[in-house]
């Protein structure tokens, strides 16, 4: 902590957070034990259990809490009631799948504290994304309530269970429940620090378009001895489609793809250059060296402000041990586009599908399956909450808070604006090496602890 | 049957085969119940059981039979002893994997007789490839023995259990056991009829080169929000590699690939044209229309005399239900080349690997794993056994026997020549719609029955 807090309202809350750290960590470990993988139907009951856990926990600190059924996984909405500004907090209790399981050093749903060379971490699926982050805010509320009996604002906590699987129930739920969700501002904790000790407030988010395509060839798998050379092989067609999505300079070839992609402003370019992003170190962490995006772009542009097209998965034919001389009947790929500026996800989806269809030979057909489409988002940094939070964060952390871009896609921010006319502020305490969506996900204990303290400070700054 | 057999030696054997059909079918069903998938280590004990089954069956008809351990699956060698020419028969008791299991209409290892619009079939993995074919010869021997007490030749039956997984133990075994295997000629039953009623003797076989490549990128799976656009994606690299293996005319681009590929002789071209191969019907059976091989080649060339390059499997990233925005750490493919003429599999392997390595960007590395390499084979059609067998087959089937090419790769024929200086004759009774290597594999009961009768006729023709 960089300063001694003397404020009579804030200081005892921070003390309480410090004193309660072991108990709050135990609570998080309990939540992490629930395998709430939303994309896999086999875990539907577990998602429900995670929602129930939150309901019980929020009720225990005096929130009026309801579990709302959807056609997918339930939503949890909790109201503190009380005076002060109306604040909505959003987090998600669902997690990513855990495969490849053999790359985990332990059961992803048997979380534990681990001492590492870089400090203590909470290890387990969801530790960082997003259960640990979600709990920083709830723990801040718990401490405040314990010290002062009431919260300094009229707070609604809104937890979703479908964030990792395209949020199919979210928009209908926002539309139907605007009255219980709408607030002066939304706080979202699903992002990271900039580096290890610089807190960050997000100014822009990339959108996300997810597409799955299946190329069908022969009516069944064929023997390559009998049919090899004469039968159309859909794996070859898929490879050709994927290979054609980028040109030699790394630009994406989908027609019209770059419509609405803005150039970086001089101001933002200068501010990002000030961050002295070390691309070599960033990539070195994951065994890489060279920025692989569009030629001639800053590395920070590649991850924050340029659109992308990535293969997230592909499969065809025999992929087990050994060899099988089969010509596959079909080949499948999951492809995602990260979008920026005013790129239109629906127009891009249509253009992508047309481009693929045009490449499919007579003896194949292609089937598409959508996995969501959200536009990029620009945050309302002139809202007073931004300056208040920036000061509060700068007080907690060694370095002053930075305004940064975010390569990820958190469509909820855009939805809040679109459906509830509510600005959102994204602040999170994850680190680049948290391995979210990967084996051995972790959340630094310091992220959890200082994150909780940060929210107490932000609540104080927004309500003082 | 096209004629009434009056030969005093042959006629009772054929009668015995007819009378014993139910029992011989039951024996085959018993062998088919053993899931001897050689490529998957999980079925090691089952491969061993299949070998034991053959040992017991061959001993029951008086063969002096041994199971020979190898570092992989065992070999079975059985000697009839006795007078007459020395004949080796080869078959394999191992089978292909059964995935995708959901496309089977029944348990692949719970075989049964089924009535279909095209006649009675034996349904199950291995029914055609190769247990059913293998048993045609054994049943012919059993009937002959039952009728005459001795066989008309000194017969050795040699069964392998690694044919579907690259035969790693075969060459060492041939070298070490030349004395017990060498014969005047080898008979191999692992091929098909030409069409439904024309028996076929193979004059040329394609070779097979199997390569597996793994392209490694980042040290672990990454979040495409955080790393998308800046990190090298090995799935994209793999797609580019695969897409580059053929040019727009369907020719394979591996440097030097076509060295040793002969043009079809005018004589063979004329004889193949006489077969009036119906490419549209052949492809129509599997839901396709257009020959997809090299432009300007006859369809029969594409499957018999032209070399190929096929993707047999590929995988990267998340391939399960739903969507996962992951950048995969690695991408894998299994690729096979069918070879003809004097193409050198080892030279092609090196050229292929060099071509791939040259395409791998700085931030990736590629690993190769070999799945066998065998050259194409040309049969010794001037050996007197060929004419004898052709007459015998023509007597059994509605149409006269044809000399045909074969798109598959049965390296054993080349190995017999190379290591035992023994010519081989390949005759089989499979049909194009047997779905070998695919779900719902079957063997026509008529293939099994007339196949058994064919071997009795051939043994008679070779020893009369």
């Amino acid at each position: 902590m960089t300063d001694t807090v003397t404020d009579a309202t804030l200081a005892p809350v921070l003390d309480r957070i410090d004193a309660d750290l072991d108990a709050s960590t135990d609570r998080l470990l309990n939540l992490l034990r629930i395998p709430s993988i939303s994309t896999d139907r086999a875990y539907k009951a577990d998602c429900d259990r995670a929602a129930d856990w939150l309901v019980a926990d929020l009720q225990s600190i005096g929130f009026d809490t309801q579990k709302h059924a959807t056609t997918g996984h339930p939503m949890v909405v909790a109201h503190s009631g009380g005076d002060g500004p109306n604040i909505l907090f959003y987090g998600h209790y669902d997690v990513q799948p855990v495969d490849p399981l053999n790359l985990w050093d332990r059961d992803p749903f048997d979380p534990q504290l681990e001492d590492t060379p870089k400090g203590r971490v909470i290890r387990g699926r969801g530790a960082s994304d997003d259960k640990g982050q979600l709990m920083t805010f709830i723990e801040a509320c718990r401490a405040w309530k314990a010290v002062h009996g009431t919260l300094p604002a009229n707070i609604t906590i809104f937890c979703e269970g479908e964030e990792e699987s395209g949020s199919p129930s979210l928009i209908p739920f926002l539309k139907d429940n605007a009255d219980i969700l709408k607030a002066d501002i939304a706080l979202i904790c699903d992002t990271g620090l900039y580096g290890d000790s610089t807190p960050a407030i997000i100014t822009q988010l990339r959108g996300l378009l997810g597409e799955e395509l299946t190329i069908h060839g022969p009516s069944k798998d064929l023997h390559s001895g009998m049919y090899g050379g004469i039968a159309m092989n859909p794996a070859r067609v898929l490879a050709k489609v994927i290979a054609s999505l980028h040109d030699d300079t790394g630009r994406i070839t989908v027609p019209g793809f770059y419509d609405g992609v803005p150039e970086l402003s001089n101001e933002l370019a200068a501010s990002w250059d000030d961050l002295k992003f070390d691309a070599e170190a960033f990539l070195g962490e994951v065994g890489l060296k060279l920025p692989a995006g569009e030629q001639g772009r800053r590395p920070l542009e590649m991850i924050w402000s340029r659109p992308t097209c990535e293969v997230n998965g592909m499969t065809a034919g025999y992929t087990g041990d050994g060899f099988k001389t089969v010509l596959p009947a079909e080949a499948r790929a999951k492809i995602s586009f990260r979008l920026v500026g005013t790129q239109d996800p629906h127009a891009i989806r249509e253009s992508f599908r047309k481009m693929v269809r045009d490449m499919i030979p007579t003896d194949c057909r292609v089937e598409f399956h959508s996995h969501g489409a959200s536009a990029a988002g620009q945050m309302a940094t002139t809202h007073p909450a931004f300056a208040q939070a920036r000061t509060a964060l700068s007080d907690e952390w060694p370095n002053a808070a930075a305004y940064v871009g975010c390569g990820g896609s958190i469509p909820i921010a855009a939805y809040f604006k679109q459906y509830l006319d509510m600005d959102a502020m994204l602040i999170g305490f994850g680190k680049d090496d948290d391995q979210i969506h990967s084996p051995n996900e972790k959340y630094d204990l310091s992220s959890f602890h200082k994150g909780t303290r940060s929210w107490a400070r932000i609540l104080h700054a927004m309500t003082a």
Side-chain angles (χ1 to χ4, degrees), chain A:
Chain A
M1 289 104 252
T2 52
D3 60 348
T4 305
V5 178
T6 54
D7 179 279
T9 305
L10 180 60
V13 176
L14 297 180
D15 288 347
R16 171 81 193 183
I17 289 168
D18 296 349
D20 199 36
L21 181 61
D22 285 354
S24 60
T25 307
D26 281 346
R27 282 185 289 270
L28 172 56
L29 292 176
N30 282 337
L31 179 57
L32 292 175
R33 285 190 187 101
I34 306 174
S36 46
I37 301 172
S38 60
T39 202
D40 189 336
R41 275 168 237 138
Y43 296 89
K44 186 159 175 48
D46 297 301
C47 291
D48 208 54
R49 270 207 296 143
D52 288 339
W53 189 96
L54 284 167
V55 169
D57 192 56
L58 288 163
Q59 280 173 341
S60 79
I61 54 174
F63 278 73
D64 177 13
T65 311
Q66 305 290 332
K67 184 171 78 166
H68 297 259
T70 71
T71 52
H73 304 300
M75 308 283 184
V76 174
V77 181
H79 301 286
S80 70
D83 300 327
N86 299 310
I87 295 173
L88 180 79
F89 175 84
Y90 164 91
H92 64 89
Y93 65 78
D94 63 320
V95 300
Q96 281 276 318
V98 293
D99 60 282
L101 198 55
N102 63 313
L103 294 186
W104 283 82
D105 294 329
R106 58 182 293 108
D107 179 346
F109 296 110
D110 177 23
Q112 72 171 2
L113 281 172
E114 275 179 29
D115 286 311
T116 76
K118 288 176 166 182
R120 218 145 209 237
V121 305
I122 301 157
R123 180 87 61 192
R125 173 55 91 223
S128 175
D129 183 14
D130 183 48
K131 288 172 175 173
Q133 304 244 58
L134 162 63
M135 290 305 291
T136 57
F137 189 83
I138 292 177
E139 293 298 342
C141 291
R142 189 189 321 272
W144 198 295
K145 200 85 191 283
V147 170
H148 298 297
T150 58
L151 291 169
N154 178 18
I155 295 175
T156 298
I157 293 179
F158 169 34
C159 302
E160 183 194 358
E162 299 179 333
E163 202 272 349
E164 302 292 5
S165 54
S167 297
S169 309
L170 184 61
I171 292 173
F173 188 78
L174 293 182
K175 286 180 176 169
D176 291 349
N177 295 277
D179 53 328
I180 62 167
L181 295 173
K182 168 87 161 127
D184 304 328
I185 191 163
L187 306 178
I188 299 173
C189 192
D190 198 14
T191 52
L193 302 171
Y194 179 80
D196 273 356
S197 41
T198 304
I201 302 174
I202 305 298
T203 61
Q204 58 194 87
L205 283 165
R206 291 197 286 198
L208 181 63
L209 172 65
E211 286 281 285
E212 180 160 351
L213 65 157
T214 307
I215 299 176
H216 301 272
S219 53
K220 59 190 172 195
D221 284 359
L222 304 177
H223 187 319
S224 78
M226 193 182 291
Y227 290 93
I230 195 168
M232 179 58 64
N233 183 334
R236 271 172 58 190
V237 178
L238 180 63
K240 212 168 152 185
V241 166
I242 292 173
S244 75
L245 291 171
H246 294 80
D247 71 14
D248 289 341
T249 71
R251 270 178 79 88
I252 293 145
T253 56
V254 175
F257 184 76
Y258 287 93
D259 292 353
V261 176
E263 280 303 315
L264 199 61
S265 70
N266 291 337
E267 193 192 341
L268 213 49
S271 126
W272 287 1
D273 288 343
D274 282 349
L275 290 172
K276 307 213 180 308
F277 177 68
D278 185 344
E280 208 175 312
F282 178 78
L283 289 169
E285 282 283 329
V286 294
L288 300 173
K289 281 189 202 120
L290 303 174
E294 291 166 86
Q295 279 173 24
R297 294 287 172 183
R298 285 176 184 78
L300 273 188
E301 284 182 90
M302 292 182 189
I303 55 175
W304 287 351
S305 66
R306 298 299 298 177
T308 71
C309 165
E310 294 289 357
V311 183
N312 304 117
M314 63 181 187
T315 184
Y318 181 69
T319 60
D321 248 21
F323 210 85
K324 192 174 164 183
T325 49
V326 70
L327 292 189
E330 60 177 48
R332 272 187 306 125
K334 298 178 200 274
I335 292 175
S336 63
F337 299 88
R338 300 275 171 181
L339 307 179
V340 303
T342 58
Q343 277 182 298
D344 177 351
H346 304 287
I348 290 171
R349 176 193 285 153
E350 289 319 306
S351 179
F352 165 72
R353 290 184 177 187
K354 179 176 186 316
M355 174 179 169
V356 173
R357 278 193 199 100
D358 289 349
M359 294 183 68
I360 301 296
T362 308
D363 263 350
C364 288
R365 67 187 170 84
V366 61
E367 228 180 327
F368 294 96
H369 181 70
S370 170
H371 287 283
S374 65
Q378 201 68 31
M379 302 301 110
T381 50
T382 54
H383 190 293
F386 278 75
Q388 290 159 353
R390 194 173 197 179
T391 305
L393 286 166
S394 300
D395 287 346
E396 173 65 20
W397 294 82
N399 300 335
Y403 280 173
V404 303
C406 174
S409 304
I410 305 175
I412 184 76
Y415 297 155
F416 282 156
K417 189 72 196 171
Q418 187 174 355
Y419 297 103
L420 305 180
D421 191 27
M422 173 168 60
D423 289 318
M425 182 163 66
L426 294 106
I427 295 168
F429 312 100
K431 290 191 174 178
D432 287 349
D433 64 356
D434 278 356
Q435 309 190 161
I436 64 172
H437 296 209
S438 292
N440 297 320
E441 179 176 351
K442 61 86 178 166
Y443 197 42
D444 283 14
L445 186 61
S446 64
S447 289
F448 183 58
H449 184 197
K450 289 173 80 64
T452 303
R453 288 173 56 97
S454 294
W455 285 122
R457 287 181 186 270
I458 292 166
L459 283 179
H460 183 58
M462 289 174 69
T463 57

